[in-house]
Amino acid sequence: MRVVRYAQRWERVCARHGRWALDADADQPLEHLDLRGMPETVAAQRRWSGVARRAARTGTEPGEVFALAHAVVARWWEGAYEWEREEIWPHRLHQAAGGNAGTDLERWRVVGRDAVIFPEVVAVADALLDPVMAQRAWADSGGARPRPLGADGEFCRQLGQRVGRPWLGPLIAVDYAGPLLVWMGTVVRLRRHPEGLAGPYAQFDENLWWVRQEHQPSTMAAQLRVLTREKKMPGSGTNWRAVVDAEQRFTITNLLGEVEEQLQQLRGAQVGKTAEVARSMLEGLSRGSDLLDQVLLRVMVAAVNAGVGLEEVARWARLSADEAAEVLGTCRGADDWYR
């Protein structure tokens, strides 16, 4: 069913009329978006036909490739608030909104997302099917001599260039909890263990195109329902998404992903000489602890900014009110995300 749903997403462009068909089940008045100001989206539809044929020739279901590429780029879309050099998507979104998204930007970010990111989705799908790109992912991992994936990897640098953003590589290379690095990890494992995983992991089949549930982007209808609920209680502090902006939510999610990645690396660390194991585990645990402290601080700041009482925040964080006030006080004026 998921493949069918994603198949419908790449069939939404009507090149003849220059329109993008919208979800029929979404509670909003528009049936389509005008693509006359977005020729790259129409061109991407033609390019997708070739990508789909390429997938089919390799025995891969095109819908699965599209689903993964869409999950990757939709995650970028959520984090693009932090991209100071991003100019393509804002311009394209305003075009989708008829020239200016105006004061209804959040709604247009939901309604226009799939049409705006479609060219990048097709470019990413094409890249993920390219054996040369898979080889770059393998090389970035150290190949037969494993090493952690870094921000300077050739795979992500090339992918940034393919989507017209040469500066993007280092940003997406450190999104450890995202679907792109999950895909890269699967590429590496399949090459490192062509006979399949052994031991307790032998029960798991490696599916290169599998998209975890937490990585599957929300539909337009679901996001609009959330926006509607949030507008009914703005600033009340009873709805996290209503009072914490998308940029901060994305940062918190990314930090938690880095913690998860750090801990996963320690699972198999208890092999080797005592000093080496101890050093590896302690350094990893210390790094994870630092990341958790950052998450703790950001969540505390967000809660206080939303109007939650300091004493409550302190109790939940297992701090005294004085300690919480001191911690939050170090942020005032130091970071623009503390208001």
Side-chain angles (χ1 to χ4, degrees), residues 82-134:
E82 295 184 332
W83 297 356
E84 295 181 358
R85 301 174 66 178
E86 176 58 33
E87 298 178 352
I88 299 173
W89 280 346
H91 172 75
R92 208 180 285 164
L93 181 61
H94 285 300
Q95 291 298 313
N100 189 351
T103 58
D104 208 7
L105 181 61
E106 282 301 311
R107 188 182 74 85
W108 277 110
R109 275 183 55 83
V110 172
V111 173
R113 181 196 67 185
D114 286 352
V116 170
I117 70 174
F118 186 60
E120 286 75 18
V121 171
V122 174
V124 169
D126 187 40
L128 297 183
L129 285 167
D130 188 346
V132 174
M133 292 295 285

Side-chain angles (χ1 to χ4, degrees), residues 237-299:
T238 58
N239 189 302
W240 179 261
R241 289 177 59 90
V243 292
V244 181
D245 63 44
E247 178 180 347
Q248 291 308 314
R249 297 197 308 269
F250 180 79
T251 300
I252 290 170
T253 299
N254 260 9
L255 287 170
L256 289 172
E258 290 186 49
V259 173
E260 180 183 8
E261 179 74 15
Q262 194 71 45
L263 294 178
Q264 285 179 345
Q265 292 179 5
L266 295 178
R267 287 182 177 178
Q270 299 188 64
V271 177
K273 295 181 179 179
T274 302
E276 293 176 352
V277 171
R279 178 183 60 80
S280 176
M281 293 194 69
L282 290 173
E283 288 180 349
L285 289 169
S286 177
R287 169 61 176 161
S289 179
D290 288 343
L291 291 169
L292 282 174
D293 285 343
Q294 293 182 48
V295 176
L296 177 70
L297 182 56
R298 286 183 176 272
V299 173

Side-chain angles (χ1 to χ4, degrees), residues 186 189-190 195-197 200-210:
T186 305
R189 286 192 299 274
L190 288 172
E195 73 288 351
L197 295 175
Y201 302 103
Q203 59 182 311
F204 299 107
D205 293 328
E206 292 283 12
N207 182 351
L208 190 60
W209 308 106
W210 176 57

Side-chain angles (χ1 to χ4, degrees), residues 8-305:
Q8 294 171 349
R9 288 194 175 180
W10 74 64
E11 295 172 353
R12 291 185 178 174
V13 176
C14 175
R16 179 181 178 184
H17 298 98
R19 294 176 177 177
W20 176 275
L22 294 172
D23 286 336
D25 62 341
D27 185 17
Q28 55 89 34
L30 298 176
E31 295 182 357
H32 62 265
L33 298 177
D34 190 338
L35 298 179
R36 285 177 293 182
M38 302 162 60
E40 58 271 43
T41 298
V42 177
Q45 175 67 53
R46 294 190 292 269
R47 185 181 181 191
W48 168 252
S49 298
V51 176
R53 288 193 296 271
R54 182 178 178 183
R57 285 196 298 269
T58 65
T60 305
E61 168 58 51
E64 291 186 336
V65 179
F66 186 89
L68 177 58
H70 184 263
V72 168
V73 183
R75 184 174 176 88
W76 296 352
W77 174 257
E78 291 301 317
Y81 280 113
E82 295 184 332
W83 297 356
E84 295 181 358
R85 301 174 66 178
E86 176 58 33
E87 298 178 352
I88 299 173
W89 280 346
H91 172 75
R92 208 180 285 164
L93 181 61
H94 285 300
Q95 291 298 313
N100 189 351
T103 58
D104 208 7
L105 181 61
E106 282 301 311
R107 188 182 74 85
W108 277 110
R109 275 183 55 83
V110 172
V111 173
R113 181 196 67 185
D114 286 352
V116 170
I117 70 174
F118 186 60
E120 286 75 18
V121 171
V122 174
V124 169
D126 187 40
L128 297 183
L129 285 167
D130 188 346
V132 174
M133 292 295 285
Q135 178 62 31
R136 289 195 174 107
W138 169 248
D140 288 344
S141 75
R145 303 182 65 181
R147 64 170 181 264
L149 293 170
D152 58 347
E154 183 68 14
F155 173 88
C156 288
R157 187 183 70 81
Q158 287 289 329
L159 189 59
Q161 292 182 348
R162 287 194 179 213
V163 296
R165 296 166 176 84
W167 45 266
L168 184 58
L171 299 181
I172 59 179
V174 295
D175 183 13
Y176 298 114
L180 181 62
L181 265 69
V182 170
W183 179 87
M184 293 175 68
T186 305
V187 168
V188 172
R189 286 192 299 274
L190 288 172
R191 293 197 175 200
R192 198 160 284 158
H193 306 284
E195 73 288 351
L197 295 175
Y201 302 103
Q203 59 182 311
F204 299 107
D205 293 328
E206 292 283 12
N207 182 351
L208 190 60
W209 308 106
W210 176 57
V211 180
R212 296 177 181 177
Q213 184 174 2
E214 63 267 27
H215 290 156
Q216 295 177 17
S218 298
T219 64
M220 181 175 71
Q223 292 184 82
L224 287 175
R225 285 194 294 270
V226 170
L227 281 180
T228 299
R229 287 197 301 269
E230 290 176 354
K231 286 182 179 179
K232 293 180 179 178
M233 46 185 175
S236 66
T238 58
N239 189 302
W240 179 261
R241 289 177 59 90
V243 292
V244 181
D245 63 44
E247 178 180 347
Q248 291 308 314
R249 297 197 308 269
F250 180 79
T251 300
I252 290 170
T253 299
N254 260 9
L255 287 170
L256 289 172
E258 290 186 49
V259 173
E260 180 183 8
E261 179 74 15
Q262 194 71 45
L263 294 178
Q264 285 179 345
Q265 292 179 5
L266 295 178
R267 287 182 177 178
Q270 299 188 64
V271 177
K273 295 181 179 179
T274 302
E276 293 176 352
V277 171
R279 178 183 60 80
S280 176
M281 293 194 69
L282 290 173
E283 288 180 349
L285 289 169
S286 177
R287 169 61 176 161
S289 179
D290 288 343
L291 291 169
L292 282 174
D293 285 343
Q294 293 182 48
V295 176
L296 177 70
L297 182 56
R298 286 183 176 272
V299 173
M300 289 175 63
V301 169
V304 171
N305 285 342

